[in-house]
Amino acid sequence: MPIAIKAENISKAYQLGEIGTGTLSRDLERWVARIRGKEDPFLKIGETNDRTKKGSSDIVWSLKDINFEIEQGDAVGIIGRNGAGKSTLLKVLSRVTSPTTGRITGKGRIASLLEVGTGFHPELTGRENIYLNGAILGMRKREIARKFDEIVDFAGVERYIDTPVKRYSSGMYVRLAFAVAAHLESEILIVDEVLAVGDAEFQQKCLGKMGEVSKGEGRTVLFVSHNMGSISSICNRGVLLKKGMISEVGQINTVINEYNKQMLRTDNSELENSNEEVALRKIEIKNTEGEYLVSNCKCIAEIEIYSKKYIEDVVVGVGFNDNMNTRILTIFSKHFGKYYKINPGINILRCEIEQLPLKPSKYFTEVYVGTAYEQISHYNCGLNIEVLEVKNQDMPDHTQGYIVVKQNWN
Amino acid sequence: MTDYEHHSWEISPQRSLFDLKLRDTWEYRDLLWLLVRRDFVSFYKQTILGPLWFFIQPLFTTLIFTFIFGMAGIGTDGLPRPLFYMAGVTAWNYFADCITKTSTVFKDNANIFGKVYFPRLIMPLSIVISNLVRFGVQFLLFLAMMGYYAAQGADIRPNGTILLFPVLLLLMAALGLGAGMIISAMTTKYRDLAFLVTFGVQLLMYASAVIMPLSETPDQYKWLIQANPMTTIIETFRYGFTGQGTFTWGAFGYASGFTVITLLAGIVIFNKVEKNFVDTV
C-alpha cells in the first residue's frame, strides 16, 4: 500500500504563561538570533512534557520527535493519557497549527473533524450549512451536491433540511455535522473524540461508518478516543503517545496492551515521585477454577493500590464496559457495605465473584477508588478482559440482553 | 481516484515569507462565495427592517453633517450640501467597514481557525466582498440623491473620470483589506490595538475630505490630508460623478501605489501570523 502520511521528526513547542518573551528586549534578542540563523535562545531542547513537574523554562514540548508512517487505507487509533499530545498531533496534521520542527508529507485531501459542526451557522438552514461546512472542509460545491442526498439520509434530517439549524435538537445537529465530514470525498479522515456527544445508536452508526470508510472505501482514518472499545473495533493500527513522544506504534492490540500497562503504574519510583496520592498499580480478574474467564465461572478480582498516606473508609469499584462503552456490570464495595482502610504503600483488595454473568466477548474495565464521600481516583480502561466461549454452549445473542446468569430448568 | 495524485501536500515549519498561498486560496473559491452568502443571509434573518438599515445610517450621518458643518459654514465645492456629504460618507463607509471588520478577523474566527484548516485569506476576502452588498445599496441611494438634485437644477456634471469608479472601488477594498490585515496581525499579540481601530478610523475620516473638500483645506495642511490615500479616492469619486472636486493623476498614482504596497504587506504579515496564531489566543 502506498504511504498516505509520513511524519518526520515532528516537534511542537508551546510557551507557558505569558505569550511573547515578555519584554521588548528579549523579543529583539530572539529576533536577532533568528535573522542570524541561530537557534532561538529561549527554546531549550531536551525538556519533555511532564505536567506534574515544574519545568526549568517556560517552553513545553507538546510533541517531540514524532516519526511514523501511515499507509493508505489504514485506520489508526491515536491513544494516550490526557496531555500526551494527541490533540496537538491532530491539530498539526489538520494544518490548524504548524509544527515547530519537522516535516509531514502526504497524499490526498484531509477532512478533519476536531469538533462537531465547526462553522455551522445557527441562522442558516441544514441545506445551507451542509454546503458551507463542506466548503470549509475543502470541498467544491459540485462534490457536495453529489453527496448531498447521502449526507441527508445518513443524518436522518430530511424533514428539517430547510429549517435553520438553531431549531435542531442537539442530536440532529451532531448527526448532520458528522455526516458532512464522513461523506465528503477526502482521502484522509481525521476524527477527534467528538462522537461522545451523540446517543448510543448514533455512536454505533458513526463507528460503523468510519469502519466502512477505511475498510470498504480504502480511505485513511485517524481516530482519537479514550474509548478503547471503539478504537479496537475500528482501527487496525495504533500510535501510543506518552508525554509528547511516541511510545509504541504497531498493531492496535499491541498498542492497547502497552497503553494498559502504562495506565497501571508498576514502577515504584514513578509512583513516589508522582503527585497523585493514590494510584492503581494493577488490576487482575482471574478464574479461580480454570485458566480462562468463561461465562458464569467463579472468579476473583484483585486490585492493587498504591497510596502515600493512610486513608479510612475507602471504597473500590470495577466497571465492565462493552465495546460501545456501555456499562454492563459494576462491582462496587460500597454496595456491599465494605469500607477499606488503606495503608501507605501497596494495598491489595480482593473481590470474589460467585458467577461472572458476562457473555463471551471483550470487555473494558474502569476502576474507581474513593472514600465514602468523594472520588480519589478513576482509571479508564485499566484492563481489557475477554470472556471466552465454551464449546457447544449457546449464548444469548444481542437481542436477548447483555448478561447471562446460571439457570436451572426443571 | 484521479484527483488523488494531485493532492500531495507537505507540512513544515519553515515557509517563505512570500509564499502567499494564492493558489490554495483559489482552490477554495467556493467557500468564499458561501461565506459571503452566509453573511448576507444571516444579516437579514435577524432584522425586521432588513436592508432598510443600510439606508438609515448614511442618511442620518449626512443629515447630521449637513446640520453641523452647514452651521460652521464649511464649503462644499458648490455642491448641494447633502449630496456632497452623501458622496463622502458612501465611499468612506465602505472603506471603514472593510478595515474594522478585517482587523478583528482573528478574534472573530478564533474558534473556527482553531478547528479546521482552510486558507485564512478567504476570511478577510469574504468580509470585503460582503461589505460590497452594503456599499451597493448605499451607492444606489447616492445615485437617487444625485438624480433628485440634478432635477432641481443643481450644477452636476458627470465626466470621463467616472470610468475610474471600478478602480476606486478596488482601491478602497484593497486598502481596507491590507490595512485591516496588518492591524489584525498585530492585535493577536497586543489586544489593546483593537480598541484603537474604531477610534482611529473615525479620526481618520476627518482627515480625508469627507467633510472638508481638499480645495477648502488650508495650504499648509494640504500635504497632510493628501498623504491619506482615501482623500484622493473620495475626491476622485466625487469629481467623476458630479464634476466638482480635485482630481490629478499624480495624486491618483500615489493613492494606487500606497494601496498596492499596503495590500502586499498586509497579505505577507497576515500569512506569517496565521501560521501560529492558534497557539497564542
Side-chain angles (χ1 to χ4, degrees), chain B residues 167-216:
Chain B
V167 183
L168 291 178
L169 200 56
L170 215 61
L171 286 180
M172 284 191 285
L175 192 62
L177 181 69
M181 284 195 298
I182 294 173
I183 298 165
S184 75
M186 294 198 291
T187 43
T188 58
K189 223 174 174 183
Y190 310 103
R191 282 281 169 94
D192 13 8
L193 266 172
F195 301 105
L196 257 173
V197 175
T198 26
F199 177 62
V201 167
Q202 225 162 32
L203 278 186
L204 204 61
M205 186 182 76
Y206 292 97
S208 71
V210 173
I211 286 153
M212 187 186 281
L214 195 62
S215 58
E216 295 270 323

Side-chain angles (χ1 to χ4, degrees), chain A residues 108-121:
Chain A
R109 280 186 304 188
I110 299 177
S112 63
L113 194 57
L114 300 190
E115 179 192 63
V116 164
T118 308
F120 268 39
H121 194 290

Side-chain angles (χ1 to χ4, degrees), chain A residues 109 164 215 219 225 250 273 275 279 313 343 353 383-384 405:
Chain A
R109 280 186 304 188
K215 282 164 200 143
R219 288 155 67 187
S225 178
N273 291 328
N275 56 2
D313 289 341
N343 293 311
I353 302 167
L383 171 76
N384 307 338
V405 292

Side-chain angles (χ1 to χ4, degrees), chain B residues 11 33 74 276:
Chain B
I11 303 170
W33 296 117
I74 297 170
N276 283 313

Side-chain angles (χ1 to χ4, degrees), chain B residues 6-25:
Chain B
H6 296 267
H7 280 98
S8 299
W9 43 263
E10 182 182 327
I11 303 170
S12 61
Q14 292 91 17
R15 200 200 293 151
S16 154
L17 208 54
F18 296 100
D19 174 13
L20 303 183
K21 297 207 282 193
L22 295 180
R23 220 190 107 182
D24 220 11
T25 309

Side-chain angles (χ1 to χ4, degrees), chain B:
Chain B
M1 251 181 239
T2 48
D3 273 359
Y4 189 73
E5 296 298 321
H6 296 267
H7 280 98
S8 299
W9 43 263
E10 182 182 327
I11 303 170
S12 61
Q14 292 91 17
R15 200 200 293 151
S16 154
L17 208 54
F18 296 100
D19 174 13
L20 303 183
K21 297 207 282 193
L22 295 180
R23 220 190 107 182
D24 220 11
T25 309
W26 174 247
E27 292 267 304
Y28 275 78
R29 58 192 180 277
D30 283 352
L31 175 60
L32 181 62
W33 296 117
L34 285 162
L35 285 171
V36 171
R37 210 184 113 79
R38 176 197 70 175
D39 288 348
F40 192 65
V41 172
S42 59
F43 183 84
Y44 278 117
K45 281 190 178 168
Q46 290 161 1
T47 59
I48 306 168
L49 295 178
L52 265 185
W53 283 112
F54 290 150
F55 289 114
I56 291 168
Q57 193 264 339
L59 271 180
F60 270 79
T61 314
T62 303
L63 216 67
I64 291 165
F65 283 2
T66 307
F67 183 68
I68 295 175
F69 299 112
M71 285 208 303
I74 297 170
T76 55
D77 279 347
L79 280 177
R81 217 163 259 285
L83 186 63
F84 175 85
Y85 293 130
M86 191 65 204
V89 165
T90 304
W92 180 261
N93 269 356
Y94 180 56
F95 168 74
D97 280 350
C98 287
I99 195 170
T100 43
K101 294 237 178 73
T102 308
S103 68
T104 54
V105 70
F106 281 116
K107 203 182 83 204
D108 296 345
N109 296 290
N111 183 50
I112 187 168
F113 281 4
K115 296 297 180 190
V116 63
Y117 169 81
F118 52 87
R120 305 309 191 206
L121 205 53
I122 291 279
M123 268 302 173
L125 278 175
S126 82
I127 291 169
V128 168
I129 295 174
S130 295
N131 284 335
L132 215 50
V133 177
R134 183 172 166 173
F135 172 78
V137 172
Q138 297 186 354
F139 180 63
L140 287 178
L141 187 66
F142 165 71
L143 287 183
M145 206 182 236
M146 207 171 96
Y148 170 78
Y149 280 107
Q152 296 280 313
D155 183 20
I156 295 169
R157 286 177 306 228
N159 53 62
T161 321
I162 210 169
L163 295 176
L164 282 177
F165 174 63
V167 183
L168 291 178
L169 200 56
L170 215 61
L171 286 180
M172 284 191 285
L175 192 62
L177 181 69
M181 284 195 298
I182 294 173
I183 298 165
S184 75
M186 294 198 291
T187 43
T188 58
K189 223 174 174 183
Y190 310 103
R191 282 281 169 94
D192 13 8
L193 266 172
F195 301 105
L196 257 173
V197 175
T198 26
F199 177 62
V201 167
Q202 225 162 32
L203 278 186
L204 204 61
M205 186 182 76
Y206 292 97
S208 71
V210 173
I211 286 153
M212 187 186 281
L214 195 62
S215 58
E216 295 270 323
T217 313
D219 279 341
Q220 68 265 39
Y221 296 125
K222 251 187 186 147
W223 65 272
L224 189 68
I225 302 295
Q226 274 192 308
N228 178 358
M230 275 309 285
T231 302
T232 305
I233 292 172
I234 289 174
E235 284 282 340
T236 310
F237 177 76
R238 225 181 248 144
Y239 179 72
F241 280 91
T242 68
Q244 307 295 337
T246 317
F247 172 74
T248 61
W249 283 104
F252 185 73
Y254 161 75
S256 309
F258 190 99
T259 303
V260 169
I261 291 169
T262 309
L263 180 65
L264 285 180
I267 298 176
V268 168
I269 294 172
F270 183 84
N271 272 335
K272 186 159 167 47
V273 168
E274 165 264 299
K275 262 194 318 186
N276 283 313
F277 141 81
V278 178
D279 308 335
T280 57
V281 285

